Amino acid sequence: MGSTMKKYISLLALFCSTPVFAYIDPGSGSAIMSAIVGIFVAIGITIKTYWYKLKGLFAKSKAEKADQESEQNK
């Protein structure tokens, strides 16, 4: 099929198409917004969880060093 034939078929499809009566009702929009908000909340909680784990990892190492120093000073 030549490129000019594809153009004619595209034009024919464009002019012979029928309108589609479709819509998104308010309930669907609300569900989509809830999903988007939920994604952001889940990302925030995930970041918070790993941040505290990382922070706790370094805090434990500092506490262990302080304990070792206090035992050496005795």
Side-chain angles (χ1 to χ4, degrees):
M1 200 186 271
S3 98
T4 56
M5 184 67 142
K6 288 181 183 178
K7 289 180 185 177
Y8 289 129
I9 291 174
S10 299
L11 286 173
L12 182 65
L14 181 67
F15 290 115
C16 294
S17 63
T18 59
V20 177
F21 299 105
Y23 69 98
I24 296 178
D25 62 81
S28 297
S30 164
I32 291 169
M33 288 300 296
S34 295
I36 291 170
V37 169
I39 288 169
F40 283 117
V41 169
I43 290 170
I45 289 173
T46 303
I47 290 171
K48 179 181 171 184
T49 300
Y50 285 110
W51 175 256
Y52 281 123
K53 285 184 180 182
L54 185 64
K55 190 175 172 183
L57 180 68
F58 289 116
K60 286 182 184 176
S61 64
K62 287 181 182 179
E64 289 173 359
K65 287 180 185 177
D67 288 341
Q68 289 174 354
E69 289 177 4
S70 65
E71 287 179 10
Q72 288 175 355
N73 290 337
K74 287 183 181 179

